[in-house]
Amino acid sequence: MSESTHTARAAGAPTPVLSIGPVTLPTPDRAVDLQVRVSAPVTGDELPIILLSHGHGPSNNLSSLNGYAPLVNHWAADGFVVIQPTHLSSRTLSLDPADPEAPLYWRSRAEDMKRVLDRLDEIEAAVPQLSGRLDRGRVAVAGHSMGAHTASLLLGMRLTDPLDGTEADLAEPRIRAGVLLAGPGRGGDALSDIAAANYPFFLNPDFSTMTTPALVVAGDKDLSPHLTVLGPEWHTDPYHLSPGPKSLLTVFGAEHGLGGVSGYDVAETTDENPARVAAVAGLTAAYLRSRLRPGDPAWQTACDALAAGPDPIGRVESKAA
């Protein structure tokens, strides 16, 4: 188990962040044991929790508990405990490609998050620095790309299981809010032929049941021709096709990496922009603070600052329940 202390900037002075991983949760009913990374501010109590689901990019390690440091460090410095599992889709595991759920393991990913919530006692025992500091009543989920699909399921989106034709309902009532970063949109004729043939679980998402509050983050230059015949607007579907309360942050000039959220200086980021990443991290943290603690003005303050800026990184729109 490795332990490191980062310095990440929250509001005001830099805040030291403790990150510990892997924390291994024995999981006999899974292909391999579930491993997670836990990051938290060094000080503070009653800390809300963010479950972070990684994407499925070409790198070997970003799609695991070792990715997404630009977001994790910021969120932890802002007072959250961030828990990152390594899903079975991770290249670090190199599992049997003949598995019926391979390569993306859409159902297993959501089940991983439920396991984390079921086993917070074990995680807290494995990380003594967290003892008594978790606010288990304030839980959010966040995910990037395929991770946003995972988050959508936990927030209430349903789909047709291509293996047996049944409706999959993996909504998690313990999760009170979510952030979807560059997530997939509607299925049907919006999908590319490749996506329809290889990822049939994308064919019939139903966002009308995704009732948990969420912030959808989409880049206005995020073209994903391997998944959809539509343009960047496809990634805004989780906002437009779901009931409120929801907010949509459209990030100007951003492609699928949203400036580089999956890691520092990664070659696969096509739109590297540290200022963009910092803005996305700050706005998402503000959204979750206000959603998990009603009355906290962080989100409204952040939106006002965004709208008043001379060169905004994006725009926000919202709809009520």
Side-chain angles (χ1 to χ4, degrees):
M1 182 182 294
S2 64
E3 179 175 329
S4 60
T5 300
H6 307 281
T7 297
R9 181 169 295 278
T15 301
V17 170
L18 184 72
S19 184
I20 296 179
V23 174
T24 300
L25 302 175
T27 317
D29 60 342
R30 194 172 180 267
V32 296
D33 288 339
L34 178 60
Q35 292 191 330
V36 304
R37 175 174 295 280
V38 182
S39 302
V42 170
T43 60
D45 295 307
E46 298 183 349
L47 304 173
I49 299 166
I50 299 176
L51 308 180
L52 175 58
S53 179
H54 62 71
H56 187 69
S59 294
N60 289 320
N61 286 284
L62 293 178
S63 295
S64 77
L65 59 79
N66 293 316
Y68 294 87
L71 292 180
V72 173
N73 292 341
H74 188 109
W75 290 343
D78 210 31
F80 294 92
V81 174
V82 186
I83 304 177
Q84 303 170 253
T86 294
H87 296 304
L88 293 180
S89 61
S90 176
R91 289 173 181 260
T92 63
L93 300 178
S94 298
L95 297 180
D96 184 358
D99 187 297
E101 235 200 302
L104 297 184
Y105 294 88
W106 64 268
R107 182 184 289 273
S108 171
R109 285 169 148 269
E111 291 171 345
D112 286 344
M113 300 309 216
K114 293 174 179 283
R115 287 188 180 98
V116 168
L117 292 177
D118 290 342
R119 301 175 72 173
L120 286 175
D121 285 347
E122 292 174 58
I123 293 172
E124 190 170 339
V127 185
Q129 297 89 340
L130 284 184
S131 181
R133 300 175 63 205
L134 298 178
D135 187 341
R136 303 181 186 209
R138 303 183 193 275
V139 178
V141 65
H144 175 241
S145 193
M146 184 61 197
H149 184 272
T150 302
S152 295
L153 286 168
L154 294 163
L155 295 170
M157 181 193 76
R158 298 179 186 177
L159 57 78
T160 301
D161 187 332
L163 293 180
D164 60 15
T166 60
E167 182 181 62
D169 178 2
L170 295 167
E172 175 50 69
R174 290 171 290 185
I175 293 173
R176 295 177 51 183
V179 171
L180 310 180
L181 300 152
R186 63 186 184 271
D189 59 7
L191 291 186
S192 69
D193 291 341
I194 293 175
N198 292 283
Y199 312 123
F201 61 88
F202 278 146
L203 282 169
N204 298 291
D206 181 2
F207 291 104
S208 71
T209 55
M210 194 174 78
T211 57
T212 306
L215 170 64
V216 176
V217 183
D220 68 0
K221 303 297 183 186
D222 185 358
L223 293 169
S224 302
H226 60 299
L227 295 177
T228 181
V229 298
L230 303 179
E233 70 277 6
W234 185 65
H235 297 283
T236 69
D237 283 347
Y239 171 77
H240 292 294
L241 301 180
S242 67
K246 296 291 188 299
S247 293
L248 171 64
L249 168 61
T250 301
V251 186
F252 301 151
E255 299 176 14
H256 198 61
L258 299 171
V261 296
S262 64
Y264 294 114
D265 299 324
V266 297
E268 68 194 50
T269 298
T270 56
D271 63 330
E272 186 173 22
N273 187 317
R276 182 177 296 147
V277 174
V280 169
L283 285 159
T284 52
Y287 176 83
L288 292 178
R289 281 178 55 190
S290 293
R291 274 292 164 194
L292 296 177
R293 298 189 185 278
D296 187 319
W299 176 237
Q300 187 61 55
T301 300
C303 289
D304 291 345
L306 180 67
D311 187 21
I313 66 102
R315 66 175 180 272
V316 171
E317 57 189 281
S318 299
K319 60 184 180 181

